[in-house]
Amino acid sequence: MKGVVLAGGTGSRLRPLTHIINKHLLPVGDMPMIQHALEKLAEAGIEDVLVITGKQSAGLYLDYLGGGDALGIKLTYKIQEKAGGISEALALAEDFIRPGEKFVVILGDNLFKDSLVQMIDAFHQQEEGAMVILKEVPDPSRYGVATMKDGRIERIEEKPAQPQTRYAVTGIYLYDASVFDIIKTQSPSARGEMEITDVNNVYASSGKLSHRFFTNWWIDAGTHESLFQANLLVRREDSPCKPC
């Protein structure tokens, strides 16, 4: 299975930090944010990874990550010319994924403790479709929220004012190659972006969207406060004195 890390976007919620550098290169603990995602993929045995980013810091990615040898993976790069949503960025991976191949996608500002091994193994066993990783959170209205029926995801609601569950859809997705055909049928949302929630709902409506849960911490480090909290979480994990 291959991996795709989406590391584009404007990072508007992290300005002024992102005026000069792509947010996925900001430090979390002792390494740039994106390295956490790459190490999770490597840990799960994924050796062939595509990084999709904007033009702003592409040279810095190459300088720091190179071809991925230091992480034990092979890196390929693609440039998203302008921010147009997660689905638009994901569409750039179409010629990286062979017909019939499955792959895992990580939004580069998502950090988490759980291993991806069991999720990937389960998706290998899934005949077709997609899988999303959920996390029960205290403030679900900030996220896409999975509504459930008979133990399956019936629909994902984007930032609902009155969420029916506390199950946030994290930025880790597993797809078969049919996702690219689905993306081609989608139109931009009211905010002018191609929304990954719309793509996931196509799978959900056909009964082909499975899910797993993160049981340890997960955070979207896309704001100043969450970036600070991500650093605290990572430093706590790395500390030799965990109870301190």
Side-chain angles (χ1 to χ4, degrees), residues 121-158:
D121 286 347
F123 192 56
H124 269 303
Q125 302 303 314
Q126 185 173 323
E127 186 173 341
E128 59 181 344
M131 176 186 289
V132 294
I133 311 303
L134 307 179
K135 174 65 178 175
E136 191 167 3
V137 297
D139 50 352
S141 59
R142 293 179 52 206
Y143 308 101
V145 176
T147 60
M148 314 294 287
K149 183 177 182 180
D150 299 327
R152 299 185 65 88
I153 296 177
E154 183 177 35
R155 184 168 178 78
I156 298 170
E157 296 182 88
E158 191 63 30

Side-chain angles (χ1 to χ4, degrees), residues 53-111:
T53 188
K55 296 181 290 186
Q56 178 190 21
S57 301
L60 294 177
Y61 279 99
L62 286 168
D63 287 343
Y64 182 72
L65 296 170
D69 289 350
L71 297 174
I73 58 178
K74 176 187 175 183
L75 287 177
T76 304
Y77 299 89
K78 278 204 170 184
I79 300 299
Q80 185 182 18
E81 293 291 337
K82 59 180 181 179
I86 294 170
S87 293
E88 183 182 271
L90 182 55
L92 297 174
E94 184 171 10
D95 61 3
F96 178 71
I97 304 298
R98 294 190 298 267
E101 197 167 39
K102 294 178 178 179
F103 64 107
V104 57
V105 180
I106 299 183
L107 304 189
D109 58 1
N110 277 235
L111 296 105

